[in-house]
Amino acid sequence: AFLGWVAIAGLIGFIGNEAVAVFRIRVGREINSAALIADGYHARTDGFTSLAVVLGAIGVWLGFPLADPIVGLLITLAIFAIVWQSSKAVLTRMLDGVEPAIIDEIHHAAEHVSGIGRVESVQARWIGHRLHADVAISVPEMATAKDVLGVTEALKEELFAHLRALAEANVRLVSPAGLAAETSHAHHHAPEPFKVACD
């Protein structure tokens, strides 16, 4: 009997929830909060529900009363999809996991540093809203100790430039045997392999 009012209420609900969703998701990404991002998707789900009410009202108005329950089923599927996506993100963060894109970005940062022979390993974890990374790299055999320090500092700078949420970067350099011998001779000990940490 009041399809017009139902449609107007649904539109207002959709616009309001979508505005809140956009705000929460944007702020959540800025502060790297998986929980706030998930809350934003929750608000977006509420907005879709309101929009489904509008579509159902239009269907009924056009003489198709089954439009309302059909749209309800479709929005239920959408809710499940959003809940699944948000749950995975929050659970990954709770288990100190990081998104694959972060590991890819660390490798990308290393590509900008000349003098790196190979990225041996990459480890990263979230502590609160801040990211901590540990990167092990190797250098060419002819690299000197001075080259080692230059490469580690350059990689550290690239990591902070590529990862806005990065709070700490630890660069470990696993050097060839020649550099290990050269460096160990200068320090009167012979660790194998030689590693340089840059905090």
Side-chain angles (χ1 to χ4, degrees):
F2 300 98
L3 294 179
W5 287 109
V6 170
I8 292 173
L11 284 173
I12 294 174
F14 170 74
I15 294 172
N17 279 294
E18 182 61 19
V20 171
V22 170
F23 176 74
R24 289 177 178 172
I25 293 172
R26 184 175 69 246
V27 174
R29 287 173 176 167
E30 288 177 355
I31 66 174
N32 301 294
S33 171
L36 188 56
I37 293 173
D39 200 31
Y41 283 118
H42 181 193
R44 177 160 288 169
T45 301
D46 291 340
F48 287 156
T49 303
S50 298
L51 189 60
V53 171
V54 176
L55 296 177
I58 293 174
V60 173
W61 178 67
L62 293 174
F64 187 56
L66 289 178
D68 189 48
I70 290 174
V71 169
L73 290 174
L74 293 176
I75 197 62
T76 299
L77 295 176
I79 290 173
F80 274 121
I82 293 176
V83 168
W84 174 252
Q85 177 186 7
S86 300
S87 298
K88 286 199 305 180
V90 172
L91 183 61
T92 298
R93 186 68 63 88
M94 289 174 62
L95 297 176
D96 285 340
V98 296
E99 301 81 352
I102 290 178
I103 302 300
D104 294 339
E105 194 64 26
I106 292 175
H107 282 279
H108 179 65
E111 293 175 357
H112 289 267
V113 180
S114 60
I116 294 180
R118 177 180 172 186
V119 176
E120 301 293 341
S121 68
V122 173
Q123 295 177 325
R125 65 177 295 195
W126 287 102
I127 299 179
H129 297 163
R130 308 302 293 169
L131 184 67
H132 293 244
D134 184 275
V135 185
I137 60 174
S138 61
V139 297
E141 294 184 1
M142 301 304 294
T144 65
K146 182 178 180 181
D147 295 333
V148 168
L149 296 178
V151 167
T152 55
E153 285 294 335
L155 178 55
K156 182 180 176 182
E157 292 178 2
E158 288 292 338
L159 289 172
F160 278 102
H162 282 75
L163 299 166
R164 184 174 55 184
L166 187 63
E168 180 179 343
N170 182 45
V171 177
R172 296 183 294 108
L173 190 115
V174 182
S175 301
L179 181 58
E182 174 187 339
T183 308
S184 63
H185 177 73
H187 292 84
H188 305 290
H189 61 84
E192 182 64 36
F194 173 64
K195 297 182 179 180
V196 174
C198 179
D199 293 326

